[in-house]
Amino acid sequence: MKDLLAKCKLCPRNCNVNRHKEVGFCKAKDSIKIARADLYYYEEPCISGDSGSGAIFFSYCNLKCLFCQNYEISEENIGKEISIEKFSDICLKLQKKGALNINLITPTHYIPLIKEGLMLAKEKGLTIPIVYNTSSYENVESLKLLDGLIDIYLPDFKYYNDEIAIKYSSARNYVNVCKKAIAEMYRQVGKSMFDDNGIMKKGVIVRHLLLPNMENDSKKIIEYLYKTYKDDIYISIMNQYTPMKKLKYEELNHKISDDVYDDVINFAYDLGIRNAFIQEGETQKKSFIPDFRNQEF
């Protein structure tokens, strides 16, 4: 599997660099680097439950949105390099702590290494579901490497306008790439399944984060998802956008108003969407963002 890193085309950037010797757009090398691994309680209720999700935050990112809330690990590259063996042990440690699942956060650029680590962890006794938590800027062929290993896909659908995707994330052809990636995810895991306590065991939850001045774009995404998948997937509509620092595009320096969010939620409801998660209360706070510094694994 490591041969895939010698001419890396894991994501749509298709950098074609030899990661054993150099780095591409994401800046990741040929070993796993993580910034945090612990129980996490701020995902959708069916992912976190009361016990917490076993969240593993990977360093670096293949998208690098200008407004990233986790910029410390996507841009500043905080984290520690670990072996595949260590990764498998971390999965087992999280399971022992009571995690409901293993939540792989921003994993795209490590797919071959993660696959080896998950297979090893399962040999050692890992039994809880695996969540793949991604921006959806994915190559379908890379996702196919994970077929049978992932139980729950948790993809973003960030933009329905490629010009905006280029402006905010330098991501060409994002919309088409995202659509194909989510289709592959759904092919792998199918309709959503839950246990008796409402905890997801299998399925797809597509997340959409509202951005300032992008209300119509949000509605296009929601409409596409519902027309394509109906009630076979869940949609998570989020209002938690929080500017972490002064950004060069003034529109990104503002939070989402309650009126705008309510309008988008009402639009989704009027479409017929019922399998959805919405956010209530104060979610636009930096306190929801994990501490990535001085972590021990």
Side-chain angles (χ1 to χ4, degrees):
M1 295 298 291
K2 288 186 178 181
D3 289 345
L4 294 172
L5 302 181
K7 293 183 178 181
C8 188
K9 295 181 180 180
L10 289 176
C11 85
R13 305 282 181 191
N14 293 317
C15 295
N16 205 31
V17 299
N18 183 350
R19 283 171 52 183
H20 304 298
K21 299 179 180 180
E22 56 186 329
V23 297
F25 179 89
C26 70
K27 306 302 182 186
K29 299 179 182 178
D30 60 351
S31 60
I32 294 173
K33 187 175 182 181
I34 65 173
R36 185 181 176 90
D38 205 350
L39 297 179
Y40 189 63
Y41 300 92
Y42 300 117
E43 307 287 29
E44 285 74 9
C46 64
I47 300 295
S48 291
D50 294 328
S51 301
S53 176
I56 302 176
F57 290 84
F58 293 92
S59 301
Y60 308 109
C61 179
N62 72 313
L63 197 57
K64 296 187 180 179
C65 305
L66 290 176
F67 50 83
C68 182
Q69 294 183 339
N70 294 341
Y71 70 92
E72 289 181 317
I73 60 175
S74 64
E75 296 178 19
E76 297 180 359
N77 307 324
I78 290 174
K80 297 179 182 178
E81 292 187 6
I82 60 172
S83 66
I84 289 173
E85 180 87 27
K86 178 67 173 178
F87 171 75
S88 68
D89 289 340
I90 288 172
C91 292
L92 293 168
K93 182 179 178 181
L94 290 169
Q95 178 174 264
K96 188 175 181 180
K97 290 179 72 172
L100 295 172
N101 45 61
I102 299 299
N103 187 356
L104 308 171
I105 300 175
T106 319
T108 308
H109 43 295
Y110 295 118
I111 283 177
L113 306 175
I114 288 171
K115 180 172 182 176
E116 289 188 30
L118 290 176
M119 292 173 66
L120 180 58
K122 287 178 179 290
E123 290 176 6
K124 294 178 178 180
L126 184 68
T127 59
I128 56 179
I130 309 299
V131 180
Y132 190 89
N133 189 333
T134 172
S135 69
S136 296
Y137 204 48
E138 304 273 359
N139 277 340
V140 168
E141 292 305 312
S142 296
L143 290 173
K144 287 181 177 179
L145 297 173
L146 298 168
D147 196 356
L149 280 175
I150 305 301
D151 302 285
I152 300 165
Y153 277 102
L154 196 56
D156 292 337
F157 199 142
K158 292 182 177 293
Y159 315 105
Y160 210 81
N161 182 325
D162 279 326
E163 291 183 5
I164 297 298
I166 292 170
K167 181 179 179 180
Y168 293 163
S169 301
S170 301
R172 297 187 180 277
N173 201 27
Y174 176 86
V175 178
N176 191 47
V177 165
C178 182
K179 287 179 177 180
K180 289 181 177 179
I182 292 172
E184 171 61 19
M185 296 173 193
Y186 178 73
R187 183 196 69 79
Q188 289 185 22
V189 301
K191 296 181 181 180
S192 301
M193 297 174 57
F194 301 82
D195 68 14
D196 293 340
N197 296 314
I199 301 301
M200 181 172 269
K201 294 300 181 183
K202 208 169 190 65
V204 178
I205 302 174
V206 181
R207 289 171 161 173
H208 174 64
L209 174 68
L210 271 70
L211 294 174
N213 297 339
M214 295 288 289
E215 183 178 350
N216 289 333
D217 202 62
S218 296
K219 290 178 179 179
K220 290 177 182 178
I221 289 170
I222 292 166
E223 184 173 23
Y224 166 79
L225 290 171
Y226 187 60
K227 285 185 174 180
T228 304
Y229 297 101
K230 292 298 183 181
D231 295 323
D232 290 345
I233 68 168
Y234 277 70
I235 303 173
S236 183
I237 306 171
M238 304 185 296
N239 70 345
Q240 68 188 48
Y241 176 78
T242 304
M244 296 298 297
K245 54 187 176 181
K246 182 70 174 178
L247 298 169
K248 66 178 181 178
Y249 298 115
E250 182 56 34
E251 70 270 20
L252 291 177
N253 293 312
H254 304 279
K255 296 181 180 181
I256 304 300
S257 72
D258 291 342
D259 288 344
V260 167
Y261 185 62
D262 288 345
D263 182 60
V264 172
I265 296 303
N266 290 335
F267 173 81
Y269 189 88
D270 290 343
L271 276 178
I273 295 173
R274 298 296 181 270
N275 288 353
F277 295 97
I278 62 174
Q279 293 183 317
E280 297 177 326
E282 183 54 73
T283 60
Q284 298 168 326
K285 294 171 62 177
K286 295 181 180 181
S287 60
F288 286 98
I289 299 167
D291 179 11
F292 297 116
R293 297 180 182 275
N294 303 313
Q295 298 296 311
E296 296 295 331
F297 311 117

